[in-house]
Amino acid sequence: MPKFYLTTPIYYANSRPHVGSAYTTIVCDVIARYKRMCGYEVAYLTGTDEHGVNIERAAEKLGITPAELVDRNQQIFRDLWKLLGIQHTHFIRTTSAEHARAVQTLVRRTMARTPDAIYKARYEGRYCVHDNLYVSDSSEPANCPLCGRPAELISEENYFFRLSAYQGKLLALYRDHPEFVQPDFRMNEVRSFVEAGLKDVSISRRSIKWGIPWPDDPEHVFYVWYDALTSYLSGIGFGQGEGGEANPSFKKFWPANLHMIGKEIIRFHAVYWPAFLMAAELPLPEKIFAHGWLLFEQEKMSKSKGNVAYPEPIVKALDELTGAKVGNDALRYYLLRETVFGQDGNFSRDALLTRYNADLANGLGNLASRVLTMIENYCEGIIPDPGNATVPLRIHELASQPHRDAILSSYENFEFSDALTVTWAAVELVDKYLVEEKPWVLAQKTENRKQLEQVLYSAMESLRIVCALAHPVAPESTQRIWSQMGLQGALADVRINQLQWGDFKPGTRIGKPEAVFPRVDKKEAWERIEAMENEIRNPAGAAPKPAAEPAAGAKIAIEDFAKIELRVGVVKSAERIPGADKLLKLLVDIGEEVRQVLAGIALAYAPEELIGRKVVIVANLAPRKMRGLESNGMLLAASADADGKPVLCTFAEDIPAGSKVK
RNA sequence: GCCGGCGUAGCUCAGUGGCAGAGCGAGGGUCUCAUAAUCCCUAGGCCGUGGGUUCGAUUCCCCCCGCCGGCACCA
């Protein structure tokens, strides 16, 4: 039996999952179910990334230990996956003993096989706590390229991975396997990133405790990305025996056929990860697919905007309002149907409810209902024998092998929207067919019996095939229709690539027809979802959160603050810098001198409107060069979140330039 | 600034060198097996602007405008 091994990212367990994580996981589940129906033995790994400063700090805030925090959060992930019908076969926690062993085994193996791949050196630089990312930018101050938050300054002895040595090998990999990264435009982005040159990366930390200890050097703890990526190995059994490959499950499933990720973490998967594996002399995964983001009502979801959507309210609200278990399939269908996979997509409750009523309730659900009712009423609930009547041409087209194969090929290429569009075209066609043939009229006269039976058989057989083709996306409801049609066993066991017209056995006794997708009132559903979302955002009894998240982490002493010299400055001149989008060159009078300060505020402020304004300057910041120009100081500005435009600090009353701010 | 993509009916998007399409929404009609479901008809849209190639361009090329992504850069 051929194998297929796919993974979701190992989700960071510092908070609960939103629809974005659910999206990735659902997509993988659809692929996993599809592959199983094609006869593959599937290993499907997901899990939680439970180490790092962020977890430490989040736990500290709640007054619990990191272990307690991640225990709690990983359970929320598991519960959600259960609610969404996710059939993962493996779940890895990075705090588990077997994972720790795997990480240590991997690094030992690497040092044994490629002795110069890992070395110890002093790291002085910036680290983004939020994204667990070392910021390679050597300028000062540095900010995280992912989230834009200021990176924290750290200086410590670290183990480094010699990524710089892998530029040529990675480029060769991309050249020989252009399918390695998908979609293709991502491959191009990755390639140009690597062509621009690679720096070595730190893969250990000394300053934190909450991590996996470095073998024979327990002062060090593994860098979170090295730790987390290794989950793809440990999750299926790596880490046993000499070299780590003794486990039969690992032998069977590695290398992964697919790492499904969001586009924001492509660099780690398409650059770091293959380099880590090359150094360890392990086979590389076959494919990295980076999908787009799910925007919420056209905006990027972000906690600070308060527009994070969670999956649970949608699923539960639909289940409650319909009195049927439909929410999960509705969400899955919507996510895969509405967006072009790979691109950014929009998540809109209104569109979801529209899709539910139009495609699921009025479409598939109603078709099942009308066909089953007619079998019940006109054929005593027994599937009729069509004899050797030819299949009506148009129906036959949709049920034919080329058509089936077109849908399967869409699944194969992760073109879920296409697969569903074509599958649902079959639903429409059968509806049309019924209107044309009018079985309810045929049933009036006994001489039409043969034709009636042929029509109803064709409709049932089409419905059977549609259910099978839609099963990976809508597993629960298609199974329910399957059972109502009198078909035995699990639809999941059907070999989707061997579907044949005519396999529906005449004489089958159907089950009791029952609405699979009851219609919902959109307004009512919308309000119910909204209410449940608010419940999650602001749990009853919980104190409302302060609007601005306090700078994560430990308090500083007054002496620390005293090191910072803040002064009032007056902007004397301001001009754009050629070649820079965001940067302005300012001359600022701070009393005893006029300083040249560069500030990244060009998107928010026109140069001319700044002249004469009183601003706050960090006066004792070390000079730094940007775009070839020296900056002597830093302008203070506030921004709502990572994407927000900066707003300058200013004064309501008058105050002379040079005054100290404290 | 560099690289890439996009700009088509109210909305979401397909699409091809030669009569501009689908779904949703809206309007009208129809059937009655069905979940007030199905099915049929109806949108006269400068296919972003301006040039060019061509017998002919929405589809090929160039400029411009607007939007988006990656890199660089940045609070």
Side-chain angles (χ1 to χ4, degrees):
Chain A
M1 192 187 258
K3 69 91 183 174
F4 193 85
Y5 174 36
L6 81 167
T7 66
T8 71
I10 306 303
Y11 301 109
Y12 203 55
N14 64 337
S15 64
R16 69 182 307 128
H18 55 66
V19 285
S21 319
Y23 179 54
T24 314
T25 310
I26 286 171
V27 164
C28 284
D29 189 60
V30 170
I31 296 169
R33 287 175 187 267
Y34 162 75
K35 283 289 177 183
R36 286 190 195 104
M37 291 181 83
C38 288
Y40 285 80
E41 182 177 4
V42 172
Y44 174 10
L45 174 75
T46 187
T48 41
D49 177 3
E50 306 185 352
H51 287 132
V53 193
N54 250 356
I55 300 266
E56 267 182 345
R57 292 182 178 176
E60 196 179 321
K61 252 189 239 174
L62 293 169
I64 57 177
T65 65
E68 285 168 335
L69 177 73
V70 297
D71 270 347
R72 185 188 295 178
N73 283 345
Q74 64 94 28
Q75 191 58 47
I76 298 177
F77 277 86
R78 286 182 196 267
D79 290 346
L80 177 61
W81 302 153
K82 191 173 177 192
L83 181 70
L84 298 179
I86 305 301
Q87 292 184 331
H88 54 272
T89 56
H90 297 72
F91 190 101
I92 186 72
R93 299 182 56 183
T94 60
T95 52
S96 64
E98 59 267 30
H99 176 71
R101 190 171 60 235
V103 172
Q104 292 170 339
T105 303
L106 182 66
V107 78
R108 280 203 170 99
R109 177 185 169 117
T110 302
M111 292 190 289
R113 305 206 179 197
T114 313
D116 65 343
I118 292 170
Y119 62 94
K120 203 171 186 179
R122 174 151 288 274
Y123 175 86
E124 288 185 3
R126 300 283 172 168
Y127 177 81
C128 174
V129 179
H130 183 258
D131 291 306
N132 299 314
L133 174 69
Y134 283 95
V135 178
S136 55
D137 183 4
S138 56
S139 55
E140 179 102 6
N143 292 281
C144 174
L146 287 185
C147 66
R149 290 174 171 79
E152 299 185 12
L153 179 65
I154 59 168
S155 166
E156 61 181 37
E157 185 114 279
N158 280 170
Y159 286 96
F160 280 78
F161 180 80
R162 203 176 299 279
L163 187 64
S164 57
Y166 287 83
Q167 184 183 33
K169 285 175 190 164
L170 288 168
L171 291 174
L173 166 69
Y174 306 150
R175 186 190 60 231
D176 298 340
H177 301 278
E179 307 295 297
F180 179 66
V181 174
Q182 289 188 342
D184 53 359
F185 60 90
R186 296 284 170 214
M187 177 79 267
N188 295 336
E189 289 170 7
V190 167
R191 189 184 291 114
S192 53
F193 174 79
V194 173
E195 279 168 352
L198 295 170
K199 290 179 182 162
D200 294 350
V201 291
S202 165
I203 56 170
S204 77
R205 294 287 305 267
R206 284 190 75 157
S207 54
I208 59 172
K209 304 261 177 297
W210 187 238
I212 297 171
W214 194 271
D216 307 320
D217 196 353
E219 293 280 290
H220 290 262
V221 148
F222 278 88
Y223 159 50
V224 171
W225 273 104
Y226 195 89
D227 175 349
L229 287 164
T230 305
S231 303
Y232 299 141
L233 303 174
S234 67
I236 52 167
F238 178 80
Q240 296 172 21
E242 183 65 31
E245 296 175 272
N247 184 296
S249 155
F250 181 77
K251 281 186 186 162
K252 181 197 287 181
F253 286 112
W254 190 259
N257 298 274
L258 174 66
H259 291 313
M260 182 64 69
I261 59 170
K263 65 181 182 183
E264 72 281 2
I265 52 176
I266 191 164
R267 187 184 305 172
F268 304 105
H269 286 79
V271 182
Y272 294 13
W273 183 227
F276 291 166
L277 291 169
M278 285 173 184
E281 294 182 353
L282 282 167
L284 306 184
E286 192 179 315
K287 187 173 292 184
I288 315 288
F289 194 108
H291 69 246
W293 283 337
L294 224 41
L295 307 175
F296 183 60
E297 310 287 359
Q298 306 289 8
E299 278 193 326
K300 183 181 167 189
M301 277 186 230
S302 90
K303 277 188 193 162
S304 56
K305 281 186 190 148
N307 67 345
V308 178
Y310 296 100
E312 293 92 338
I314 298 189
V315 174
K316 290 180 178 168
L318 283 174
D319 284 355
E320 277 179 23
L321 290 172
T322 58
K325 202 163 173 334
V326 299
N328 178 27
D329 282 5
L331 176 64
R332 294 169 65 110
Y333 175 82
Y334 168 75
L335 289 176
L336 293 183
R337 171 67 198 256
E338 190 78 3
T339 64
V340 177
F341 190 63
Q343 312 287 118
D344 286 355
N346 195 228
F347 183 85
S348 142
R349 292 174 195 136
D350 188 65
L352 184 148
L353 296 169
T354 300
R355 282 279 176 207
Y356 175 79
N357 277 338
D359 295 3
L360 297 178
N362 298 351
L364 180 59
N366 183 243
L367 178 64
S369 174
R370 65 195 305 205
V371 175
L372 286 164
T373 303
M374 286 189 280
I375 294 282
E376 188 66 49
N377 293 345
Y378 307 144
C379 304
E380 291 75 46
I382 307 290
I383 303 299
D385 189 341
N388 43 17
T390 50
V391 185
L393 189 60
R394 283 165 58 197
I395 292 289
H396 185 258
E397 270 172 36
L398 284 180
S400 69
Q401 188 172 327
H403 176 263
R404 183 198 75 202
D405 290 348
I407 292 174
L408 297 188
S409 127
S410 292
Y411 273 116
E412 206 64 55
N413 297 321
F414 311 135
E415 293 159 350
F416 305 108
S417 184
D418 289 349
L420 292 172
T421 302
V422 177
T423 304
W424 253 256
V427 172
E428 281 177 37
L429 196 72
V430 178
D431 270 332
K432 273 193 197 31
Y433 174 66
L434 291 173
V435 168
E436 283 166 11
E437 298 296 330
K438 300 181 177 53
W440 49 92
V441 174
L442 296 175
Q444 313 280 317
K445 295 187 176 171
T446 44
E447 67 255 36
N448 294 330
R449 187 70 198 170
K450 206 62 230 168
Q451 199 190 342
L452 171 70
E453 292 184 342
Q454 190 211 314
V455 169
L456 290 184
Y457 181 86
S458 295
M460 283 295 280
E461 181 59 341
S462 303
L463 185 60
R464 184 183 71 93
I465 289 171
V466 163
C467 280
L469 291 171
H471 184 253
V473 175
E476 295 176 13
S477 46
T478 50
Q479 174 65 54
R480 237 169 282 139
I481 297 172
W482 191 259
S483 302
Q484 286 183 28
M485 287 193 291
L487 292 159
Q488 299 302 308
L491 175 48
D493 294 337
V494 169
R495 285 293 295 276
I496 200 170
N497 52 357
Q498 290 173 7
L499 282 172
Q500 288 278 348
W501 181 271
D503 278 355
F504 207 149
K505 291 282 173 292
T508 304
R509 179 77 180 83
I510 66 163
K512 184 165 175 281
E514 226 172 317
V516 177
F517 298 111
R519 283 177 65 86
V520 294
D521 180 86
K522 273 169 72 171
K523 185 166 177 292
E524 194 184 358
W526 207 95
E527 285 165 1
R528 190 85 190 88
I529 292 168
E530 179 80 352
M532 292 172 93
E533 294 233 327
N534 285 335
E535 185 67 22
I536 287 184
R537 291 200 195 104
N538 309 303
K545 283 192 179 164
E549 199 175 331
K555 307 239 185 308
I556 63 167
I558 184 80
E559 305 82 66
D560 294 322
F561 178 72
K563 293 176 191 163
I564 301 168
E565 184 189 338
L566 299 176
R567 287 189 183 270
V568 177
V570 178
V571 179
K572 308 305 278 187
S573 74
E575 58 187 277
R576 293 187 188 280
I577 297 172
D581 288 347
K582 298 184 180 175
L583 219 49
L584 291 183
K585 184 176 84 175
L586 309 174
L587 290 178
V588 183
D589 180 354
I590 57 167
E592 60 252 29
E593 58 178 313
V594 175
R595 294 271 190 92
Q596 173 170 295
V597 174
L598 306 187
I601 55 173
L603 294 179
Y605 292 93
E608 52 276 12
E609 66 178 301
L610 290 171
I611 295 173
R613 278 189 72 154
K614 296 228 162 78
V615 294
V616 181
I617 298 287
V618 182
N620 60 341
L621 199 63
R624 167 196 185 191
K625 276 202 165 182
M626 293 182 274
R627 287 269 152 194
L629 297 167
E630 191 163 280
S631 181
N632 285 298
M634 179 172 126
L635 205 59
L636 291 192
S639 48
D641 58 51
D643 310 321
K645 290 199 170 173
V647 174
L648 288 178
C649 294
T650 183
F651 298 95
E653 288 88 16
D654 199 31
I655 177 93
S659 308
K660 279 201 166 184
V661 181
K662 56 183 181 179

